[in-house]
């Protein structure tokens, strides 16, 4: 392996990769939320449809490039995360009879692989509901109608909201951990980064949760 | 006070170990944890049984040899203290205390509570040193070092290499130990000549020994008897990125 690949595959490098891909996915989530909130405009999805047509346009080259990058980074983030988790399990070897990690670390920091797994399952279902039929298939209705239909199903909506709670768990640790992995930790900023990460994770996931809640209780609004 | 102990007993490296119950009777709250084990061992010797093997030397929190996992915590429940500095007043009469050796693939158990920590020595040998000329002592003021730099270097240098970071980390990562050494030397001018080589070599050796990768749970720093702060780990990452960026190797 040449220097660069050895670097990103070292124990330090793997975390740098997790941090950079994670932060990129966070940026995407912010954009995704901003777009999705257009669903709540009470205009029968007119503006939302314009927005999604723009984002999905085959001539929208910058978005197409970023989209390929996004898929690549998500897959890299998952594969790398599983490799880290497995390597770290092996490094322990024999486990303790009595162990009290709640005394020295947060639940969120120890839950990353499991929260991540739940978010991954969510992602697969989410892509099946929206991305594959509306972007790659021949949909019989608009994406807005699809969203209304999907979220009027209480099971589907509740599943979404639960998955979003786990996403928030993942981000509460992941956001601040990304900075630490990149070596960005100076005493005067540590508290700011940690607190911002917590508020950000809650707001982001609450923002996403608004959408299923809105359609669940509003059933299309009219 | 009287205590029930569950202690990991293992004959040698290859033997299968198991927990054995012991009673520690009439222990004063003023005794240290190791003294309590001494009392138990004396009883065992009197009965003609093999005493519990555990590592210890200075018994004042300096040498780093006395690590053991006590009731689910590295060095027991007291914050900022090695096992030898832990006192029995941290426990209540009638408590059950489970005592285990450090658990990490890179720290194989040699006997009972004693683990082989030579992986740390090999990491140090890989890069945890500076090169100086021997001879007469240099003039103390020849190399001015600002007080805050000195202090931050000494904060990192406080690491006693006990391995509690590895023991407490869910990933059995030795990142806090390696980072403390890297940061200590990188913060001082004496450490500059080998700065890039050191971090590369020490991280490579750490991986070679089979320690896990740090995922920032911060358990290490919380359990460290010397309370080495997490910022040394961030510094190691910066040093590592810097060393990679500066290396002459082809991309
Ligand atoms: S015996 Fe030396 S640190 Fe505990």
């Amino acid at each position: 392996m040449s220097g660069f690949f050895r670097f990103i595959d070292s124990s330090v490098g793997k975390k740098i990769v997790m941090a950079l891909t994670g932060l990129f996915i966070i940026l995407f989530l912010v954009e995704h939320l901003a777009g999705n909130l257009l669903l709540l405009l009470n205009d029968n999805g007119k503006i939302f449809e314009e927005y999604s047509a723009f984002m999905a346009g085959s001539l929208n080259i910058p978005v197409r490039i970023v989209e390929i990058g996004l898929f690549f980074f998500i897959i890299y983030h998952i594969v790398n995360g599983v490799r880290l988790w497995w390597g770290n399990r092996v490094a322990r070897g024999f486990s303790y009879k009595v162990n009290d990690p709640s005394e020295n670390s947060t639940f969120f920091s120890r839950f990353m692989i499991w929260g991540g797994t739940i978010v991954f399952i969510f992602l697969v279902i989410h892509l099946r509901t929206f991305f594959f039929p509306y972007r790659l298939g021949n949909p019989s209705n608009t994406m807005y109608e699809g969203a209304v239909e999907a979220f009027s199903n209480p099971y589907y909506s509740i599943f979404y909201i639960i998955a979003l709670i786990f996403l928030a768990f993942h981000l509460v640790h992941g956001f601040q951990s990304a900075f630490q992995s990149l070596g960005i930790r100076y005493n005067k900023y540590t508290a700011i980064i940690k607190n911002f990460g917590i508020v950000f994770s809650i707001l982001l996931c609450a923002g996403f949760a608004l959408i299923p809640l809105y359609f669940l209780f509003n059933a299309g609004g009219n | 006070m009287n205590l029930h102990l569950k202690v990991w007993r293992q004959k040698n490296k290859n033997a299968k170990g198991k927990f054995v119950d012991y009673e520690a009777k009439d222990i004063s709250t003023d005794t240290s944890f190791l003294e309590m084990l001494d009392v138990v061992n004396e009883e065992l010797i009197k009965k003609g049984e093999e005493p519990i093997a555990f590592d210890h030397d200075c018994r004042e929190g300096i040498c780093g040899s006395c690590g053991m996992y006590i009731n689910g915590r590295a060095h027991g429940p007291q914050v900022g203290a090695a096992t030898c500095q832990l006192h029995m007043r941290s426990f209540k009469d009638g408590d059950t205390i489970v005592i285990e050796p450090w658990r990490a693939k890179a720290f194989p158990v040699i006997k009972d509570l004693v683990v082989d920590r030579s992986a740390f020595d090999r990491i140090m040998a890989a890069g945890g040193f500076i090169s100086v000329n021997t001879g007469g002592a240099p003039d103390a003021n020849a190399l001015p070092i600002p007080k805050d730099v000195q202090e931050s270097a000494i904060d990192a240098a406080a690491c006693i290499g006990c391995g509690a970071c590895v023991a407490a980390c869910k990933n059995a990562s030795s990142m806090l130990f390696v980072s403390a050494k890297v940061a200590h030397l990188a913060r001082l001018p004496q450490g500059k000549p080998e700065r890039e080589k050191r971090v590369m070599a020490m991280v490579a050796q750490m991986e070679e020994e089979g320690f896990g990768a740090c995922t920032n749970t911060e358990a290490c720093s919380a359990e460290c008897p010397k309370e080495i702060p997490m910022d040394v780990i961030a510094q190691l990452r910066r040093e590592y990125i810097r060393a990679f960026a500066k290396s002459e190797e082809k991309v």
Side-chain angles (χ1 to χ4, degrees):
Chain A
M1 267 194 289
S2 78
F4 177 72
F5 291 102
R6 224 176 324 116
F7 173 74
I8 61 167
D9 220 41
S10 66
S11 58
V12 176
K14 278 202 195 88
K15 285 295 289 173
I16 292 171
V17 167
M18 289 312 270
L20 292 175
T21 52
L23 289 173
F24 185 82
I25 297 167
I26 286 175
L27 279 181
F28 158 74
L29 287 175
V30 171
E31 181 283 320
H32 195 37
L33 175 63
N36 283 13
L37 287 177
L38 299 174
L39 285 164
L40 308 182
L41 284 179
N42 210 359
D43 61 352
N44 269 327
K46 193 170 157 298
I47 297 185
F48 175 78
E49 285 301 329
E50 278 170 30
Y51 155 78
S52 39
F54 167 76
M55 291 303 277
S58 50
L59 290 178
N60 195 341
I61 306 294
V63 173
R64 291 291 71 75
I65 292 172
V66 174
E67 188 175 55
I68 292 167
L70 177 66
F71 272 99
F72 174 71
F73 289 146
I74 289 175
I75 292 166
Y76 200 162
H77 190 84
I78 294 168
V79 172
N80 208 41
V82 171
R83 288 175 63 212
L84 269 168
W85 168 75
W86 181 250
N88 287 342
R89 260 184 71 103
V90 171
R92 165 65 70 228
F94 199 102
S95 36
Y96 292 106
K97 179 184 168 79
V98 178
N99 199 6
D100 198 357
S102 61
E103 287 289 336
N104 55 37
S105 52
T106 63
F107 160 78
F108 306 108
S109 72
R110 286 175 273 118
F111 195 67
M112 292 306 275
I113 185 75
W114 309 116
T117 304
I118 293 166
V119 173
F120 170 69
I121 294 167
F122 164 79
L123 178 69
V124 171
I125 294 171
H126 179 65
L127 291 177
R128 256 199 56 156
T129 314
F130 296 108
F131 186 81
F132 293 120
Y134 292 95
R135 281 292 300 286
L136 307 176
N138 283 317
S140 56
N141 57 4
T142 64
M143 191 115 129
Y144 175 80
E145 287 160 356
V148 174
E149 190 188 311
F151 292 129
S152 328
N153 177 347
Y155 296 112
Y156 197 83
S157 285
I158 287 167
F159 166 68
Y160 251 62
I161 291 162
I162 291 172
L164 286 166
I165 292 171
F166 284 110
L167 175 63
F169 284 6
H170 200 69
L171 293 180
V172 164
H173 177 73
F175 187 89
Q176 55 98 1
S177 175
F179 289 88
Q180 169 79 353
S181 293
L182 296 171
I184 304 168
R185 180 175 180 127
Y186 302 92
N187 289 336
K188 58 179 174 177
Y189 304 122
T190 306
I192 300 175
I193 292 176
K194 286 195 174 176
N195 293 332
F196 179 83
I198 294 169
V199 173
F200 171 83
S201 312
I202 295 170
L203 286 183
L204 184 87
C205 296
F208 276 113
L210 271 182
I211 296 160
L213 283 173
Y214 175 80
F215 288 113
L216 193 59
F217 292 113
N218 231 2
N222 37 40
Chain B
M1 61 198 303
N2 296 318
L3 301 148
H4 314 289
L5 308 182
K6 280 188 190 305
V7 184
W8 181 260
R9 302 301 308 260
Q10 181 173 335
K11 260 211 165 59
N12 57 48
K13 209 170 169 163
N14 304 317
K16 236 179 83 110
K18 64 170 191 302
F19 284 94
V20 179
D21 292 355
Y22 298 100
E23 300 297 321
K25 294 209 178 80
D26 298 326
I27 303 293
S28 150
T29 47
D30 293 334
T31 46
S32 77
F33 198 84
L34 298 187
E35 285 163 347
M36 182 275 292
L37 286 178
D38 291 338
V39 171
V40 174
N41 274 346
E42 271 169 31
E43 283 298 312
L44 288 177
I45 292 167
K46 261 193 237 156
K47 280 194 276 179
E49 288 177 36
E50 178 101 6
I52 302 161
F54 61 91
D55 229 345
H56 61 100
D57 187 17
C58 71
R59 298 207 174 197
E60 54 181 349
I62 298 170
C63 71
S65 61
C66 60
M68 49 188 90
Y69 219 67
I70 303 164
N71 276 352
R73 306 279 304 278
H75 293 300
Q78 200 173 318
V79 173
T83 303
C84 57
Q85 298 167 294
L86 173 67
H87 282 81
M88 296 315 292
R89 53 179 165 270
S90 301
F91 299 90
K92 286 195 305 291
D93 187 35
D95 273 1
T96 299
I97 307 177
V98 179
I99 311 172
E100 299 175 69
W102 287 167
R103 297 291 187 194
K105 214 184 79 195
F107 284 167
V109 174
I110 302 173
K111 189 175 179 164
D112 299 344
L113 302 171
V114 183
V115 300
D116 177 0
R117 286 179 298 126
S118 59
F120 273 11
D121 300 338
R122 290 187 291 275
I123 293 174
M124 289 306 277
F129 52 81
I130 59 166
S131 303
V132 283
N133 291 327
T134 54
D139 174 8
N141 296 320
L143 199 56
I145 303 169
K147 187 157 185 297
D148 56 328
V149 174
Q150 266 180 47
E151 279 177 356
S152 80
I154 294 299
D155 283 347
C159 168
I160 54 175
C162 65
C165 43
V166 176
C169 174
K170 80 170 176 62
N171 309 322
S173 170
S174 60
M175 193 68 153
L176 192 68
F177 165 75
V178 177
S179 300
K181 302 304 173 192
V182 165
H184 159 212
L185 297 175
R187 286 171 186 182
L188 292 173
Q190 290 91 335
K192 297 291 189 256
E194 292 100 350
R195 186 173 172 186
E196 292 84 18
K197 257 207 204 139
R198 173 183 307 119
V199 63
M200 285 296 191
M202 289 180 83
V203 168
Q205 189 64 35
M206 162 176 98
E207 292 168 358
E208 166 102 22
E209 297 291 345
F211 291 106
C214 170
T215 61
N216 307 328
T217 71
E218 309 193 4
C220 51
S221 181
E223 298 289 11
C224 174
K226 297 294 146 186
E227 302 181 288
I228 306 285
M230 283 298 288
D231 65 352
V232 296
I233 295 184
Q235 177 160 8
L236 178 137
R237 268 114 176 206
R238 295 197 296 277
E239 296 290 332
Y240 195 75
I241 294 168
R242 182 176 174 279
F244 170 71
K246 286 184 77 175
S247 78
E248 298 285 331
E249 200 184 8
K250 274 216 181 67
V251 173

